[in-house]
Amino acid sequence: TMICDLSQLIRLSVENEQRLIPFREEIDHAKLYLKIQQRRFPDRFQVTWRIPSDCLDILVVPLTLHPLLSHGVKKMRHMGHILVACEAREQTIFISVTDDGPGFSPESLAAMRKKLSSSIYHTSEHVGLFSVHQRLRLTFDEKCGVTIDSQPHIHTCVCMRFPKVYASGAAP
């Protein structure tokens, strides 16, 4: 079952040529990834989803949740909690992934924020996070992207910000 789930996840990654997809599809991809991780690391994390139904049809850049969830899952050493939430404020969407894992030290957080504000990344760490940030900025504009807040061993929150766009025919 795990091999079938993994092959489906890879197929979704490779075959997706769309620039934007409905958020409900991105959630399905993320849940498939989490299902695989639950098999690898049983009893290591629990996920709560707070997604209002009016956010399910917004358009998102594909494969943006997976890297944010991946970071939280990999850092968990004991049972941890991950919250995925979406909020629409006027014409802007905020999707956050918050966990109660080890987080970032103040120094690491400052370095991470500095790298996110740069247009060039010279790092082998957090490649997925930087990729999500860059793809949001390239797809929408420079005001979009990822922000990070962290208090070590209390919470880490990674938030994506981008304009609210619906697929044609979807209700706003």
Side-chain angles (χ1 to χ4, degrees):
T1 303
M2 188 172 166
I3 291 171
C4 289
D5 289 343
L6 182 59
S7 67
Q8 183 180 355
L9 185 62
I10 291 170
R11 190 170 31 261
L12 290 169
S13 307
V14 174
E15 291 177 355
N16 191 346
E17 295 176 7
Q18 294 176 323
R19 188 171 157 198
L20 298 171
I21 62 170
F23 191 39
R24 71 177 69 248
E25 287 181 32
E26 181 66 7
I27 291 169
D28 290 343
H29 300 171
K31 286 182 177 180
L32 186 57
Y33 166 76
L34 289 169
K35 185 176 167 187
I36 293 166
Q37 294 305 323
Q38 285 283 7
R39 285 196 187 95
R40 289 183 64 208
F41 307 112
D43 302 320
R44 189 175 292 179
F45 64 92
Q46 179 179 26
V47 180
T48 302
W49 298 85
R50 287 197 192 138
I51 312 294
S53 59
D54 62 331
C55 288
L56 293 173
D57 290 317
I58 61 167
L59 295 177
V60 300
V61 177
L63 299 170
T64 49
L65 272 181
H66 175 189
L68 307 186
L69 289 165
S70 177
H71 173 76
V73 169
K74 288 179 182 175
K75 297 287 184 175
M76 300 284 181
R77 297 293 171 242
H78 305 288
M79 175 52 92
H81 299 88
I82 299 171
L83 170 65
V84 181
C86 182
E87 180 182 357
R89 289 187 223 149
E90 297 179 16
Q91 295 303 310
T92 304
I93 296 294
F94 297 88
I95 298 174
S96 62
V97 177
T98 306
D99 68 62
D100 59 0
F104 294 96
S105 69
E107 299 79 18
S108 296
L109 181 60
M112 180 77 84
R113 287 176 173 161
K114 184 176 180 181
K115 288 177 184 175
L116 283 171
S117 67
S118 171
S119 61
I120 301 172
Y121 307 120
H122 299 286
T123 183
S124 61
E125 291 183 300
H126 312 292
V127 173
L129 178 71
F130 293 124
S131 172
V132 169
H133 181 66
Q134 203 61 19
R135 288 187 296 132
L136 287 170
R137 293 178 80 171
L138 290 170
T139 302
F140 298 110
D141 65 39
E142 295 291 315
K143 296 176 195 168
C144 300
V146 172
T147 58
I148 303 174
D149 181 43
S150 184
Q151 295 179 339
H153 303 287
I154 297 174
H155 85 277
T156 297
C157 179
V158 178
C159 185
M160 296 183 282
R161 176 181 189 260
F162 55 93
K164 186 191 316 181
V165 179
Y166 286 95
S168 60

